[in-house]
């Protein structure tokens, strides 16, 4: 039969020989890291293409084993899954799991392997329907994979009780909605790990353990743009998800606004309007609480920057930006961050990947606030 879980199977090959790499024309959203990741077929959750394949090679650190969570496997049924199939294999031992399709689904939502290497092979021929597949994985160092939805059959923890879930890398761009924002919490029908990225408790490129509680729902959830994700405005729910940063479980709370003792800027705009009125868009007007016009660089200025002096070395976990709607519709759409401990030597912020300077998504209008988390946090006196 098609269920060949744990049996020896010959001839299962992956075109990709490099760990953490996908190959083929049927690959959808994919983010693979040594400790966790997310992978999907092309067009998911729309219908997957005809005559396509994708092979992913998952490689965990030596001495650990891989845990795979089947978020969704919806491949058109056929005898022995011959037309469309998902097959997992351990190339070291030849053990295979599958093939899987709609008439031969995985027997459990979580597959625990004894291997640090697994190949995932997706094939399709002609078919009419099927969403394709969505999988996530973690290692034995990070049990309790949250994946993309609550595991079926898992009882809800009591209200207000803290519990922990491991979210794999790559949840930001998966299909599904979130309602709410970091300060209010999120409607409990939100995609949990996607909401965790929006709340700024994990970096999407790394994933990680998240601590949250289920609390009593509220009447209205407000939409927000944060950490590159849009949430939706949502109505009353019985429960809501509230995420907790580890540092916030103990005083002082890490979401406290830091006092800025001085602002500095590369330049500022001295505006003279049509009536001859002066308006100085100086750096001191950049504080979020300022009413009226804000800071603006001199028109045409190249590589403009705004600098915040925190007075002493602080642990900075994020930033909130807002445009200025006073007389003009001004806002910053993207920016880099650099920091300094002495105001002379500057270090560009590279985020979790550490490969290149991170570009933060800013505002799309002059009215709303946009928050971005620093994961890891910045320890500095000056932020630019």
């Amino acid at each position: 039969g098609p269920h060949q879980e744990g049996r020896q199977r010959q001839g299962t090959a992956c075109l990709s020989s490099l760990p953490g790499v996908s190959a083929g024309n049927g690959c959808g959203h994919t983010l693979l890291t040594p400790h966790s990741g997310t992978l999907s077929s092309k067009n998911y959750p729309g219908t997957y293409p005809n005559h396509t394949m994708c092979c992913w090679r998952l490689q965990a650190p030596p001495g650990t084993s891989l845990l795979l969570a089947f978020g969704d496997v919806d491949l058109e049924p056929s005898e022995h899954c011959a037309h469309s199939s998902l097959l997992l294999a351990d190339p070291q031992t030849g053990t295979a799991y599958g093939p899987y399709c709609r008439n031969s689904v995985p027997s459990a939502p979580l597959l625990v392997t004894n291997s640090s290497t697994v190949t995932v092979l997706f094939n399709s021929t002609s078919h009419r329907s099927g969403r394709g597949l969505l999988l996530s994985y973690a290692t034995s160092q990070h049990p309790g994979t949250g994946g993309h939805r609550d595991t079926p059959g898992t009882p809800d923890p009591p209200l207000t009780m803290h519990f922990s879930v491991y979210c794999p890398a790559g949840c930001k761009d998966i299909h599904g909605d979130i309602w709410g924002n970091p300060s209010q919490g999120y409607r409990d029908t939100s995609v949990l790990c996607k909401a965790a990225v929006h709340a700024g408790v994990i970096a999407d490129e790394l994933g990680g353990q998240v601590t949250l509680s289920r609390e009593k729902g509220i009447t209205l959830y407000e939409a927000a743009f944060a950490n590159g994700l849009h949430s939706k405005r949502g109505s009353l729910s019985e429960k809501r998800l509230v995420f907790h940063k580890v540092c916030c479980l103990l005083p002082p709370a890490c979401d406290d606004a830091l006092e800025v003792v001085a602002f500095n800027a590369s330049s500022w705009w001295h505006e003279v309007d049509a009536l001859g009125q002066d308006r100085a868009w100086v750096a001191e007007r950049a504080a979020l609480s300022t009413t009226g016009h804000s800071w603006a660089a001199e028109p045409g200025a190249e590589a403009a920057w705004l600098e915040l002096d925190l007075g002493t070395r602080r642990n900075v976990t994020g930033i909130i930006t807002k445009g200025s709607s006073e007389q003009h519709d001004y806002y910053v759409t993207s920016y880099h961050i650099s920091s300094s401990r002495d105001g002379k030597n500057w270090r560009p912020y590279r985020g979790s990947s550490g490969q290149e300077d991170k570009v933060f998504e800013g505002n799309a209008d002059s009215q709303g606030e946009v928050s971005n988390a620093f994961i890891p946090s910045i320890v500095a006196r000056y932020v630019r």
Side-chain angles (χ1 to χ4, degrees):
H3 273 292
Q4 299 188 2
E5 298 187 17
R7 291 174 53 183
Q8 300 297 316
R9 180 184 177 94
Q10 301 299 319
T12 302
C14 191
L15 296 178
S16 172
S17 60
L18 296 173
V21 167
S22 59
N25 57 1
C27 308
H29 168 62
T30 299
L31 181 56
L32 311 179
T33 79
H35 292 282
S36 69
T38 300
L39 51 101
S40 64
S41 53
K42 192 172 184 177
N43 297 339
Y44 181 85
T47 306
Y48 59 94
N50 290 320
H51 304 290
T52 191
M53 66 83 62
C54 185
C55 184
W56 298 268
R57 187 161 186 261
L58 315 181
Q59 179 72 62
T64 66
S65 55
L66 286 160
L67 294 78
L68 289 98
F70 298 102
D72 193 11
V73 180
D74 185 52
L75 305 174
E76 191 169 83
S78 59
E79 188 176 1
H80 304 309
C81 300
H83 293 170
S84 297
S85 67
L86 167 67
L87 184 67
L88 294 86
D90 174 359
Q92 296 168 341
T93 64
T95 306
Y97 305 90
Y100 301 119
C101 59
R102 202 181 295 156
N103 59 318
S104 179
V105 296
S107 56
L110 192 66
L111 173 64
V112 180
T113 75
N114 292 315
S115 176
S116 61
T117 305
V118 170
T119 58
V120 179
L121 183 62
F122 160 62
N123 273 301
S124 77
T125 57
S126 293
H127 67 282
R128 293 182 178 179
S129 65
R131 294 182 299 273
L133 58 96
L134 173 66
L135 272 72
S136 62
Y137 68 90
T139 71
S140 53
Q141 289 178 323
H142 305 290
T145 307
H148 312 293
R149 57 189 70 185
D150 289 337
T151 304
T154 304
D156 284 352
L159 285 178
T160 71
M161 177 182 172
H162 287 72
F163 63 102
S164 186
V165 169
Y166 185 80
C167 287
C171 290
K172 176 185 170 187
D173 295 319
I174 64 167
H175 179 75
D177 293 323
I178 52 177
W179 294 266
N181 55 70
S183 58
Q184 282 186 311
Y186 298 84
R187 206 173 193 276
D188 63 344
T189 53
S190 301
V191 179
L192 190 152
C193 288
K194 194 170 184 176
V197 174
H198 187 270
V201 293
I202 55 166
D204 183 58
E205 58 267 29
L206 277 185
Q209 203 77 24
V210 300
T211 301
L212 67 156
S213 56
R214 272 191 177 87
E215 302 186 3
K216 188 177 179 182
I218 57 176
T219 306
L220 184 67
Y221 297 86
E222 293 292 349
F225 182 62
N227 298 299
L229 274 173
H230 288 279
S231 66
K232 290 186 170 183
R233 201 165 187 252
S235 58
L236 173 71
S237 68
E238 186 182 340
K239 298 174 186 174
R240 64 188 164 118
L241 305 174
V242 178
F243 293 93
H244 306 279
K245 295 179 182 177
V246 174
C247 60
C248 291
L249 300 179
L250 297 169
C254 54
D255 281 340
D256 288 347
L258 298 174
E259 182 187 357
V260 180
V261 298
F263 289 92
N264 194 12
S266 53
S267 65
W268 59 275
W269 181 31
H270 182 198
E271 179 193 14
V272 181
D273 65 19
L275 299 175
Q277 300 275 328
D278 282 340
R279 190 180 287 111
W281 297 68
V282 292
E284 289 78 10
R285 301 199 61 82
L288 197 65
S289 58
T290 302
T291 56
H293 64 282
S294 68
W295 164 73
E298 189 176 10
E302 295 285 327
W305 51 259
L306 174 71
E307 183 184 303
L308 289 70
D309 179 0
L310 303 175
T312 186
R313 196 177 295 177
R314 303 298 298 267
N315 184 46
V316 188
T317 61
I319 185 171
I320 299 173
T321 58
K322 186 175 183 289
S324 174
S325 56
E326 183 78 12
Q327 303 294 322
H328 305 277
D329 193 29
Y330 285 163
Y331 51 94
V332 172
T333 59
S334 63
Y335 55 90
H336 296 272
I337 292 285
S338 56
S339 61
S340 174
R341 298 188 175 196
D342 58 9
K344 298 175 184 176
N345 301 296
W346 294 89
R347 173 180 293 183
Y349 186 78
R350 293 188 168 171
S352 307
S353 62
Q355 299 300 311
E356 53 190 33
D357 297 0
K358 181 167 182 172
V359 178
F360 292 88
E361 290 189 60
N363 300 71
D365 57 50
S366 62
Q367 305 290 334
E369 294 183 358
V370 171
S371 58
N372 278 298
F374 299 147
I375 304 174
S377 60
I378 296 170
V379 178
R381 173 178 171 175
Y382 301 93
V383 178
R384 185 178 279 190

